[in-house]
PDB file of all heavy atoms in Angstrom:
ATOM      1  N   LEU A   1      98.277 130.700 167.857  1.00 97.00           N
ATOM      2  CA  LEU A   1      97.104 130.694 166.980  1.00 97.00           C
ATOM      3  C   LEU A   1      97.472 130.790 165.517  1.00 97.00           C
ATOM      4  O   LEU A   1      96.657 130.472 164.648  1.00 97.00           O
ATOM      5  CB  LEU A   1      96.179 131.861 167.350  1.00 97.00           C
ATOM      6  CG  LEU A   1      95.780 131.953 168.827  1.00 97.00           C
ATOM      7  CD1 LEU A   1      94.866 133.139 169.040  1.00 97.00           C
ATOM      8  CD2 LEU A   1      95.139 130.655 169.295  1.00 97.00           C
ATOM      9  N   GLY A   2      98.685 131.219 165.231  1.00 97.00           N
ATOM     10  CA  GLY A   2      99.116 131.334 163.842  1.00 97.00           C
ATOM     11  C   GLY A   2     100.553 131.797 163.782  1.00 97.00           C
ATOM     12  O   GLY A   2     101.135 132.215 164.789  1.00 97.00           O
ATOM     13  N   GLN A   3     101.102 131.719 162.583  1.00 98.00           N
ATOM     14  CA  GLN A   3     102.478 132.142 162.368  1.00 98.00           C
ATOM     15  C   GLN A   3     102.681 132.593 160.929  1.00 98.00           C
ATOM     16  O   GLN A   3     101.967 132.146 160.039  1.00 98.00           O
ATOM     17  CB  GLN A   3     103.459 131.010 162.693  1.00 98.00           C
ATOM     18  CG  GLN A   3     103.309 129.780 161.838  1.00 98.00           C
ATOM     19  CD  GLN A   3     102.563 128.647 162.540  1.00 98.00           C
ATOM     20  OE1 GLN A   3     101.928 128.814 163.579  1.00 98.00           O
ATOM     21  NE2 GLN A   3     102.632 127.467 161.960  1.00 98.00           N
ATOM     22  N   CYS A   4     103.642 133.485 160.755  1.00 98.00           N
ATOM     23  CA  CYS A   4     104.026 133.950 159.425  1.00 98.00           C
ATOM     24  C   CYS A   4     105.538 133.956 159.362  1.00 98.00           C
ATOM     25  O   CYS A   4     106.202 134.583 160.183  1.00 98.00           O
ATOM     26  CB  CYS A   4     103.483 135.355 159.160  1.00 98.00           C
ATOM     27  SG  CYS A   4     103.888 135.978 157.510  1.00 98.00           S
ATOM     28  N   GLU A   5     106.058 133.240 158.394  1.00 98.00           N
ATOM     29  CA  GLU A   5     107.504 133.162 158.202  1.00 98.00           C
ATOM     30  C   GLU A   5     107.869 133.843 156.897  1.00 98.00           C
ATOM     31  O   GLU A   5     107.171 133.696 155.890  1.00 98.00           O
ATOM     32  CB  GLU A   5     107.950 131.696 158.168  1.00 98.00           C
ATOM     33  CG  GLU A   5     109.435 131.526 158.015  1.00 98.00           C
ATOM     34  CD  GLU A   5     109.881 130.073 158.005  1.00 98.00           C
ATOM     35  OE1 GLU A   5     109.072 129.188 158.360  1.00 98.00           O
ATOM     36  OE2 GLU A   5     111.037 129.828 157.644  1.00 98.00           O
ATOM     37  N   ILE A   6     108.932 134.609 156.934  1.00 98.00           N
ATOM     38  CA  ILE A   6     109.514 135.138 155.701  1.00 98.00           C
ATOM     39  C   ILE A   6     110.931 134.616 155.637  1.00 98.00           C
ATOM     40  O   ILE A   6     111.798 134.994 156.429  1.00 98.00           O
ATOM     41  CB  ILE A   6     109.461 136.677 155.629  1.00 98.00           C
ATOM     42  CG1 ILE A   6     107.993 137.122 155.616  1.00 98.00           C
ATOM     43  CG2 ILE A   6     110.209 137.169 154.383  1.00 98.00           C
ATOM     44  CD1 ILE A   6     107.760 138.593 155.429  1.00 98.00           C
ATOM     45  N   SER A   7     111.131 133.689 154.710  1.00 96.00           N
ATOM     46  CA  SER A   7     112.423 133.036 154.569  1.00 96.00           C
ATOM     47  C   SER A   7     113.245 133.708 153.478  1.00 96.00           C
ATOM     48  O   SER A   7     112.717 134.408 152.622  1.00 96.00           O
ATOM     49  CB  SER A   7     112.243 131.548 154.283  1.00 96.00           C
ATOM     50  OG  SER A   7     111.423 131.354 153.161  1.00 96.00           O
ATOM     51  N   ASN A   8     114.538 133.470 153.535  1.00 95.00           N
ATOM     52  CA  ASN A   8     115.450 134.038 152.552  1.00 95.00           C
ATOM     53  C   ASN A   8     115.412 133.242 151.259  1.00 95.00           C
ATOM     54  O   ASN A   8     115.118 132.049 151.261  1.00 95.00           O
ATOM     55  CB  ASN A   8     116.876 134.042 153.109  1.00 95.00           C
ATOM     56  CG  ASN A   8     116.999 134.899 154.349  1.00 95.00           C
ATOM     57  OD1 ASN A   8     116.392 135.961 154.457  1.00 95.00           O
ATOM     58  ND2 ASN A   8     117.785 134.435 155.312  1.00 95.00           N
ATOM     59  N   SER A   9     115.744 133.915 150.177  1.00 89.00           N
ATOM     60  CA  SER A   9     115.869 133.248 148.884  1.00 89.00           C
ATOM     61  C   SER A   9     117.104 132.356 148.900  1.00 89.00           C
ATOM     62  O   SER A   9     118.089 132.652 149.577  1.00 89.00           O
ATOM     63  CB  SER A   9     116.006 134.291 147.768  1.00 89.00           C
ATOM     64  OG  SER A   9     116.327 133.661 146.557  1.00 89.00           O
ATOM     65  N   GLU A  10     117.055 131.294 148.142  1.00 88.00           N
ATOM     66  CA  GLU A  10     118.218 130.413 148.061  1.00 88.00           C
ATOM     67  C   GLU A  10     119.253 130.921 147.055  1.00 88.00           C
ATOM     68  O   GLU A  10     120.335 130.371 146.953  1.00 88.00           O
ATOM     69  CB  GLU A  10     117.790 128.978 147.697  1.00 88.00           C
ATOM     70  CG  GLU A  10     117.206 128.828 146.324  1.00 88.00           C
ATOM     71  CD  GLU A  10     115.692 129.041 146.256  1.00 88.00           C
ATOM     72  OE1 GLU A  10     115.093 129.611 147.182  1.00 88.00           O
ATOM     73  OE2 GLU A  10     115.108 128.642 145.250  1.00 88.00           O
ATOM     74  N   TRP A  11     118.950 131.986 146.336  1.00 91.00           N
ATOM     75  CA  TRP A  11     119.831 132.500 145.293  1.00 91.00           C
ATOM     76  C   TRP A  11     120.644 133.697 145.798  1.00 91.00           C
ATOM     77  O   TRP A  11     120.105 134.603 146.426  1.00 91.00           O
ATOM     78  CB  TRP A  11     119.030 132.921 144.065  1.00 91.00           C
ATOM     79  CG  TRP A  11     118.209 131.801 143.523  1.00 91.00           C
ATOM     80  CD1 TRP A  11     116.856 131.656 143.585  1.00 91.00           C
ATOM     81  CD2 TRP A  11     118.688 130.641 142.841  1.00 91.00           C
ATOM     82  NE1 TRP A  11     116.462 130.494 143.001  1.00 91.00           N
ATOM     83  CE2 TRP A  11     117.573 129.840 142.515  1.00 91.00           C
ATOM     84  CE3 TRP A  11     119.956 130.185 142.472  1.00 91.00           C
ATOM     85  CZ2 TRP A  11     117.684 128.631 141.846  1.00 91.00           C
ATOM     86  CZ3 TRP A  11     120.058 128.986 141.800  1.00 91.00           C
ATOM     87  CH2 TRP A  11     118.936 128.223 141.500  1.00 91.00           C
ATOM     88  N   ASP A  12     121.944 133.711 145.502  1.00 89.00           N
ATOM     89  CA  ASP A  12     122.833 134.796 145.930  1.00 89.00           C
ATOM     90  C   ASP A  12     122.369 136.157 145.416  1.00 89.00           C
ATOM     91  O   ASP A  12     122.493 137.162 146.111  1.00 89.00           O
ATOM     92  CB  ASP A  12     124.267 134.546 145.444  1.00 89.00           C
ATOM     93  CG  ASP A  12     124.896 133.324 146.079  1.00 89.00           C
ATOM     94  OD1 ASP A  12     124.432 132.911 147.159  1.00 89.00           O
ATOM     95  OD2 ASP A  12     125.847 132.776 145.486  1.00 89.00           O
ATOM     96  N   ALA A  13     121.861 136.191 144.192  1.00 94.00           N
ATOM     97  CA  ALA A  13     121.475 137.461 143.567  1.00 94.00           C
ATOM     98  C   ALA A  13     120.055 137.890 143.951  1.00 94.00           C
ATOM     99  O   ALA A  13     119.534 138.856 143.398  1.00 94.00           O
ATOM    100  CB  ALA A  13     121.602 137.360 142.051  1.00 94.00           C
ATOM    101  N   ALA A  14     119.441 137.197 144.911  1.00 93.00           N
ATOM    102  CA  ALA A  14     118.075 137.533 145.312  1.00 93.00           C
ATOM    103  C   ALA A  14     117.960 137.712 146.826  1.00 93.00           C
ATOM    104  O   ALA A  14     116.922 137.435 147.407  1.00 93.00           O
ATOM    105  CB  ALA A  14     117.118 136.450 144.821  1.00 93.00           C
ATOM    106  N   THR A  15     119.013 138.219 147.439  1.00 95.00           N
ATOM    107  CA  THR A  15     118.969 138.407 148.884  1.00 95.00           C
ATOM    108  C   THR A  15     117.996 139.510 149.295  1.00 95.00           C
ATOM    109  O   THR A  15     117.637 139.608 150.467  1.00 95.00           O
ATOM    110  CB  THR A  15     120.370 138.724 149.457  1.00 95.00           C
ATOM    111  OG1 THR A  15     120.868 139.903 148.816  1.00 95.00           O
ATOM    112  CG2 THR A  15     121.320 137.555 149.239  1.00 95.00           C
ATOM    113  N   HIS A  16     117.555 140.309 148.339  1.00 97.00           N
ATOM    114  CA  HIS A  16     116.594 141.381 148.621  1.00 97.00           C
ATOM    115  C   HIS A  16     115.149 140.869 148.650  1.00 97.00           C
ATOM    116  O   HIS A  16     114.226 141.613 148.933  1.00 97.00           O
ATOM    117  CB  HIS A  16     116.722 142.496 147.572  1.00 97.00           C
ATOM    118  CG  HIS A  16     116.381 142.077 146.181  1.00 97.00           C
ATOM    119  ND1 HIS A  16     117.157 141.192 145.451  1.00 97.00           N
ATOM    120  CD2 HIS A  16     115.333 142.398 145.390  1.00 97.00           C
ATOM    121  CE1 HIS A  16     116.603 141.004 144.266  1.00 97.00           C
ATOM    122  NE2 HIS A  16     115.488 141.721 144.210  1.00 97.00           N
ATOM    123  N   ILE A  17     114.975 139.580 148.405  1.00 97.00           N
ATOM    124  CA  ILE A  17     113.639 138.977 148.321  1.00 97.00           C
ATOM    125  C   ILE A  17     113.414 138.024 149.490  1.00 97.00           C
ATOM    126  O   ILE A  17     114.287 137.246 149.858  1.00 97.00           O
ATOM    127  CB  ILE A  17     113.476 138.211 146.988  1.00 97.00           C
ATOM    128  CG1 ILE A  17     113.563 139.187 145.816  1.00 97.00           C
ATOM    129  CG2 ILE A  17     112.159 137.436 146.960  1.00 97.00           C
ATOM    130  CD1 ILE A  17     113.606 138.518 144.468  1.00 97.00           C
ATOM    131  N   GLY A  18     112.214 138.086 150.050  1.00 97.00           N
ATOM    132  CA  GLY A  18     111.801 137.143 151.086  1.00 97.00           C
ATOM    133  C   GLY A  18     110.590 136.373 150.601  1.00 97.00           C
ATOM    134  O   GLY A  18     109.760 136.903 149.866  1.00 97.00           O
ATOM    135  N   LYS A  19     110.487 135.123 151.022  1.00 97.00           N
ATOM    136  CA  LYS A  19     109.358 134.273 150.633  1.00 97.00           C
ATOM    137  C   LYS A  19     108.451 134.069 151.834  1.00 97.00           C
ATOM    138  O   LYS A  19     108.888 133.583 152.874  1.00 97.00           O
ATOM    139  CB  LYS A  19     109.850 132.931 150.100  1.00 97.00           C
ATOM    140  CG  LYS A  19     108.718 132.077 149.588  1.00 97.00           C
ATOM    141  CD  LYS A  19     109.203 130.848 148.878  1.00 97.00           C
ATOM    142  CE  LYS A  19     108.005 130.071 148.367  1.00 97.00           C
ATOM    143  NZ  LYS A  19     108.364 128.881 147.672  1.00 97.00           N
ATOM    144  N   LEU A  20     107.180 134.436 151.676  1.00 98.00           N
ATOM    145  CA  LEU A  20     106.220 134.434 152.764  1.00 98.00           C
ATOM    146  C   LEU A  20     105.398 133.153 152.805  1.00 98.00           C
ATOM    147  O   LEU A  20     104.959 132.652 151.782  1.00 98.00           O
ATOM    148  CB  LEU A  20     105.281 135.639 152.598  1.00 98.00           C
ATOM    149  CG  LEU A  20     104.265 135.866 153.703  1.00 98.00           C
ATOM    150  CD1 LEU A  20     104.098 137.367 153.931  1.00 98.00           C
ATOM    151  CD2 LEU A  20     102.926 135.254 153.371  1.00 98.00           C
ATOM    152  N   GLY A  21     105.187 132.667 154.014  1.00 96.00           N
ATOM    153  CA  GLY A  21     104.258 131.581 154.285  1.00 96.00           C
ATOM    154  C   GLY A  21     103.502 131.921 155.553  1.00 96.00           C
ATOM    155  O   GLY A  21     104.090 132.416 156.515  1.00 96.00           O
ATOM    156  N   VAL A  22     102.204 131.698 155.564  1.00 97.00           N
ATOM    157  CA  VAL A  22     101.400 132.048 156.734  1.00 97.00           C
ATOM    158  C   VAL A  22     100.408 130.933 157.034  1.00 97.00           C
ATOM    159  O   VAL A  22      99.877 130.302 156.114  1.00 97.00           O
ATOM    160  CB  VAL A  22     100.682 133.410 156.550  1.00 97.00           C
ATOM    161  CG1 VAL A  22      99.712 133.367 155.395  1.00 97.00           C
ATOM    162  CG2 VAL A  22     100.004 133.871 157.825  1.00 97.00           C
ATOM    163  N   ILE A  23     100.194 130.680 158.311  1.00 96.00           N
ATOM    164  CA  ILE A  23      99.246 129.669 158.769  1.00 96.00           C
ATOM    165  C   ILE A  23      98.475 130.249 159.953  1.00 96.00           C
ATOM    166  O   ILE A  23      99.072 130.861 160.843  1.00 96.00           O
ATOM    167  CB  ILE A  23      99.978 128.386 159.222  1.00 96.00           C
ATOM    168  CG1 ILE A  23     100.562 127.657 158.016  1.00 96.00           C
ATOM    169  CG2 ILE A  23      99.050 127.468 160.015  1.00 96.00           C
ATOM    170  CD1 ILE A  23     101.432 126.470 158.386  1.00 96.00           C
ATOM    171  N   VAL A  24      97.161 130.050 159.949  1.00 96.00           N
ATOM    172  CA  VAL A  24      96.323 130.407 161.092  1.00 96.00           C
ATOM    173  C   VAL A  24      95.481 129.177 161.418  1.00 96.00           C
ATOM    174  O   VAL A  24      94.921 128.540 160.518  1.00 96.00           O
ATOM    175  CB  VAL A  24      95.419 131.629 160.780  1.00 96.00           C
ATOM    176  CG1 VAL A  24      94.486 131.914 161.951  1.00 96.00           C
ATOM    177  CG2 VAL A  24      96.266 132.855 160.454  1.00 96.00           C
ATOM    178  N   LYS A  25      95.400 128.853 162.715  1.00 95.00           N
ATOM    179  CA  LYS A  25      94.588 127.707 163.150  1.00 95.00           C
ATOM    180  C   LYS A  25      93.171 127.849 162.612  1.00 95.00           C
ATOM    181  O   LYS A  25      92.621 128.946 162.579  1.00 95.00           O
ATOM    182  CB  LYS A  25      94.532 127.644 164.683  1.00 95.00           C
ATOM    183  CG  LYS A  25      95.793 127.189 165.328  1.00 95.00           C
ATOM    184  CD  LYS A  25      95.680 127.249 166.833  1.00 95.00           C
ATOM    185  CE  LYS A  25      94.978 126.018 167.308  1.00 95.00           C
ATOM    186  NZ  LYS A  25      95.442 125.566 168.630  1.00 95.00           N
ATOM    187  N   SER A  26      92.563 126.739 162.254  1.00 93.00           N
ATOM    188  CA  SER A  26      91.241 126.778 161.620  1.00 93.00           C
ATOM    189  C   SER A  26      90.200 127.503 162.460  1.00 93.00           C
ATOM    190  O   SER A  26      89.374 128.249 161.927  1.00 93.00           O
ATOM    191  CB  SER A  26      90.772 125.362 161.266  1.00 93.00           C
ATOM    192  OG  SER A  26      90.684 124.569 162.427  1.00 93.00           O
ATOM    193  N   ASP A  27      90.214 127.346 163.775  1.00 94.00           N
ATOM    194  CA  ASP A  27      89.223 128.003 164.635  1.00 94.00           C
ATOM    195  C   ASP A  27      89.426 129.514 164.741  1.00 94.00           C
ATOM    196  O   ASP A  27      88.565 130.211 165.273  1.00 94.00           O
ATOM    197  CB  ASP A  27      89.268 127.418 166.050  1.00 94.00           C
ATOM    198  CG  ASP A  27      88.785 125.984 166.108  1.00 94.00           C
ATOM    199  OD1 ASP A  27      88.167 125.516 165.128  1.00 94.00           O
ATOM    200  OD2 ASP A  27      89.026 125.319 167.131  1.00 94.00           O
ATOM    201  N   TYR A  28      90.556 130.016 164.252  1.00 96.00           N
ATOM    202  CA  TYR A  28      90.872 131.443 164.382  1.00 96.00           C
ATOM    203  C   TYR A  28      91.010 132.153 163.034  1.00 96.00           C
ATOM    204  O   TYR A  28      91.523 133.269 162.973  1.00 96.00           O
ATOM    205  CB  TYR A  28      92.137 131.620 165.228  1.00 96.00           C
ATOM    206  CG  TYR A  28      91.840 131.428 166.692  1.00 96.00           C
ATOM    207  CD1 TYR A  28      91.869 130.165 167.266  1.00 96.00           C
ATOM    208  CD2 TYR A  28      91.483 132.507 167.487  1.00 96.00           C
ATOM    209  CE1 TYR A  28      91.571 129.980 168.600  1.00 96.00           C
ATOM    210  CE2 TYR A  28      91.178 132.336 168.832  1.00 96.00           C
ATOM    211  CZ  TYR A  28      91.221 131.071 169.379  1.00 96.00           C
ATOM    212  OH  TYR A  28      90.908 130.898 170.706  1.00 96.00           O
ATOM    213  N   ARG A  29      90.531 131.529 161.990  1.00 94.00           N
ATOM    214  CA  ARG A  29      90.566 132.180 160.671  1.00 94.00           C
ATOM    215  C   ARG A  29      89.434 133.197 160.556  1.00 94.00           C
ATOM    216  O   ARG A  29      88.428 133.100 161.246  1.00 94.00           O
ATOM    217  CB  ARG A  29      90.473 131.122 159.580  1.00 94.00           C
ATOM    218  CG  ARG A  29      91.698 130.226 159.557  1.00 94.00           C
ATOM    219  CD  ARG A  29      91.616 129.148 158.512  1.00 94.00           C
ATOM    220  NE  ARG A  29      92.739 128.234 158.709  1.00 94.00           N
ATOM    221  CZ  ARG A  29      92.728 126.956 158.367  1.00 94.00           C
ATOM    222  NH1 ARG A  29      91.669 126.426 157.786  1.00 94.00           N
ATOM    223  NH2 ARG A  29      93.790 126.205 158.584  1.00 94.00           N
ATOM    224  N   ASN A  30      89.630 134.163 159.683  1.00 94.00           N
ATOM    225  CA  ASN A  30      88.648 135.230 159.420  1.00 94.00           C
ATOM    226  C   ASN A  30      88.436 136.155 160.615  1.00 94.00           C
ATOM    227  O   ASN A  30      87.373 136.762 160.737  1.00 94.00           O
ATOM    228  CB  ASN A  30      87.297 134.650 158.966  1.00 94.00           C
ATOM    229  CG  ASN A  30      87.414 133.913 157.651  1.00 94.00           C
ATOM    230  OD1 ASN A  30      88.089 134.377 156.742  1.00 94.00           O
ATOM    231  ND2 ASN A  30      86.776 132.766 157.565  1.00 94.00           N
ATOM    232  N   LEU A  31      89.419 136.265 161.478  1.00 96.00           N
ATOM    233  CA  LEU A  31      89.308 137.144 162.643  1.00 96.00           C
ATOM    234  C   LEU A  31      90.327 138.286 162.613  1.00 96.00           C
ATOM    235  O   LEU A  31      90.404 139.076 163.552  1.00 96.00           O
ATOM    236  CB  LEU A  31      89.475 136.344 163.944  1.00 96.00           C
ATOM    237  CG  LEU A  31      88.433 135.254 164.206  1.00 96.00           C
ATOM    238  CD1 LEU A  31      88.787 134.458 165.457  1.00 96.00           C
ATOM    239  CD2 LEU A  31      87.041 135.859 164.330  1.00 96.00           C
ATOM    240  N   GLY A  32      91.139 138.354 161.562  1.00 95.00           N
ATOM    241  CA  GLY A  32      92.119 139.424 161.428  1.00 95.00           C
ATOM    242  C   GLY A  32      93.539 139.049 161.807  1.00 95.00           C
ATOM    243  O   GLY A  32      94.454 139.860 161.670  1.00 95.00           O
ATOM    244  N   ILE A  33      93.751 137.839 162.275  1.00 97.00           N
ATOM    245  CA  ILE A  33      95.083 137.425 162.702  1.00 97.00           C
ATOM    246  C   ILE A  33      96.056 137.375 161.530  1.00 97.00           C
ATOM    247  O   ILE A  33      97.189 137.858 161.633  1.00 97.00           O
ATOM    248  CB  ILE A  33      95.034 136.072 163.432  1.00 97.00           C
ATOM    249  CG1 ILE A  33      94.295 136.224 164.760  1.00 97.00           C
ATOM    250  CG2 ILE A  33      96.436 135.514 163.656  1.00 97.00           C
ATOM    251  CD1 ILE A  33      94.027 134.925 165.484  1.00 97.00           C
ATOM    252  N   GLY A  34      95.642 136.796 160.416  1.00 97.00           N
ATOM    253  CA  GLY A  34      96.516 136.678 159.252  1.00 97.00           C
ATOM    254  C   GLY A  34      97.044 138.022 158.795  1.00 97.00           C
ATOM    255  O   GLY A  34      98.240 138.168 158.510  1.00 97.00           O
TER     256      GLY A  34
END
């Protein structure tokens, strides 16, 4: 129904940072999944 990815930074000096992306199927939005 949805997914959330936290990817690594491409920079050596930023390994402490993660980049978030989240997707929830349209029929399941606004239900608390995100």
Side-chain angles (χ1 to χ4, degrees):
L1 307 180
Q3 62 258 14
C4 181
E5 182 179 347
I6 297 185
S7 55
N8 298 322
S9 171
E10 66 271 17
W11 303 108
D12 295 338
T15 58
H16 64 292
I17 296 172
K19 185 172 181 180
L20 184 143
V22 62
I23 289 173
V24 176
K25 287 176 82 147
S26 60
D27 292 346
Y28 283 87
R29 294 178 188 153
N30 296 318
L31 298 175
I33 293 172

